Amino acid sequence: MTDLEHTLPAHATLIIITGMSGAGKTIAVQSLEDLGFFCVDNLPPVLIPKFAELIEQSKGKIAKVALVIDLRGREFFTALSESLAYIKDESTIGCEILFLDATDSVLVQRYKESRRHHPLAPKGMPLDGIRMERQMLEELKNSATLCLDTSSMKPAQLKEKIVSRFSHLGKSTLSVNITSFGFKYGIPIDADLVFDVRFLPNPHYVDQLRPKTGQDNEVYDYVMKWPETQTFLTKLLDMLQFLIPQYRKEGKSQIIIGIGCTGGKHRSVAIAEYLGKMLGVSETETVAVSHRDSERDRH
């Protein structure tokens, strides 16, 4: 079955993630987590009806749920069939089955690269387990509402496909963390991007500004008033507004931007505050601003 374009119901939605081992179920569940889904890994199918009852009793607090189901025996498939029938006939929950697949040769290669044993052939050849699992899952695959062949997909491409398919059920946000710092205390080791603003006029040399930080209006206004500051911010914002969507496209869920000056107290703090205000207007990113070194050596 190919990618369906129908719209899921507006009430609580349950997505069953299943398919061939090694086809990308971990990436799928991470992608749905980024969309705000409550995800449970390896829930026994027999417990799905009870879980559905809890969803309904939550009165909307749990509205988007994804369950990862791995079938290891015929009894599991029977239980899953009965559970899905219950949801269809007895509950108000909309249910979809996301089936992930890949060719035998690709799955064999992935097992070799990961040095893992196939769960159905722990002491045998991966291909034996793959063929056994494919036969077991054939009926489930035919009943899937969305089947994705991940053979030629990179992890970021699979995530993009899933986010595109289910994004109407929740926002896919990129967390943008902007942190100011002082170079004399070291560059933040977790920063993805680092910008040096030590070329800007320094409030440290203005006596009445020295004890304050870039969060104080007087210092902020001082940093912002210079033509070189405005030129730099225009160019920096233009670059970030280009880069951030590219990071999201590649599957990143978080980006850390470091803004550094000498002591991390004046210039970098003001610039970080400005960027937080300007980037925070987007609906596709959550923006947080922090100041690592602004309170050091304050006098």
Side-chain angles (χ1 to χ4, degrees), residues 48-115:
I48 291 178
K50 179 59 67 175
F51 199 82
E53 291 178 10
L54 294 175
I55 295 173
E56 292 182 314
Q57 292 170 5
S58 73
K59 298 181 180 181
K61 293 181 180 179
I62 304 177
K64 303 185 298 254
V65 179
L67 304 179
V68 181
I69 303 295
D70 288 319
L71 303 184
R72 297 289 180 248
R74 187 67 190 181
E75 67 279 4
F76 277 80
F77 180 78
T78 301
L80 180 59
S81 298
E82 294 175 351
S83 296
L84 294 179
Y86 169 85
I87 290 176
K88 179 180 179 181
D89 300 332
E90 304 293 336
S91 78
T92 61
I93 298 174
C95 183
E96 288 232 345
I97 300 176
L98 169 60
F99 190 98
L100 300 176
D101 200 359
T103 63
D104 290 356
S105 59
V106 168
L107 292 174
V108 168
Q109 183 61 34
R110 289 175 182 174
Y111 272 101
K112 287 184 177 181
E113 291 175 353
S114 65
R115 298 182 180 180

